[in-house]
Amino acid sequence: MCSRELAEYTGKQHKHAFRDIGKMLNDLSEDRSKYGHISKDSYGRAQKGYKLPKDLTFTLIAGYNVKLRKASRPATGA
């Protein structure tokens, strides 16, 4: 999923989604350039973004939603 779609899906501004993806990729020691994506706006101008695979998309979205984050973790017997 591209960063613009993620921003729209989560109700965030693209600049914030872009920042969050960059931070997540740094935290995971991923090569940010591997996920770089250029799209064109309605005026034909190049717009920077990211294009993430399904697992990293889920990782990012789970970070935005505490219930989803909890559901993705195994239960402990504490």
Side-chain angles (χ1 to χ4, degrees):
M1 181 177 272
C2 78
S3 53
R4 293 196 181 279
E5 292 170 319
L6 276 165
E8 186 176 324
Y9 178 76
T10 59
K12 294 188 173 289
Q13 292 181 16
H14 181 253
K15 66 182 180 181
H16 296 143
F18 186 83
R19 175 202 61 209
D20 294 345
I21 292 169
K23 181 176 180 340
M24 176 189 72
L25 293 173
N26 282 340
D27 290 350
L28 295 173
S29 299
E30 291 281 347
D31 179 5
R32 292 168 59 164
S33 66
K34 182 177 172 182
Y35 304 102
H37 177 71
I38 302 293
S39 61
K40 302 281 184 176
D41 67 10
S42 60
Y43 297 104
R45 299 175 298 198
Q47 301 292 313
K48 293 190 312 183
Y50 289 108
K51 190 159 192 131
L52 299 177
K54 188 176 184 177
D55 64 324
L56 291 176
T57 298
F58 182 79
T59 300
L60 181 73
I61 292 173
Y64 290 152
N65 184 318
V66 70
K67 290 180 183 178
L68 184 59
R69 214 168 34 243
K70 180 161 176 33
S72 68
R73 299 182 81 130
T76 59

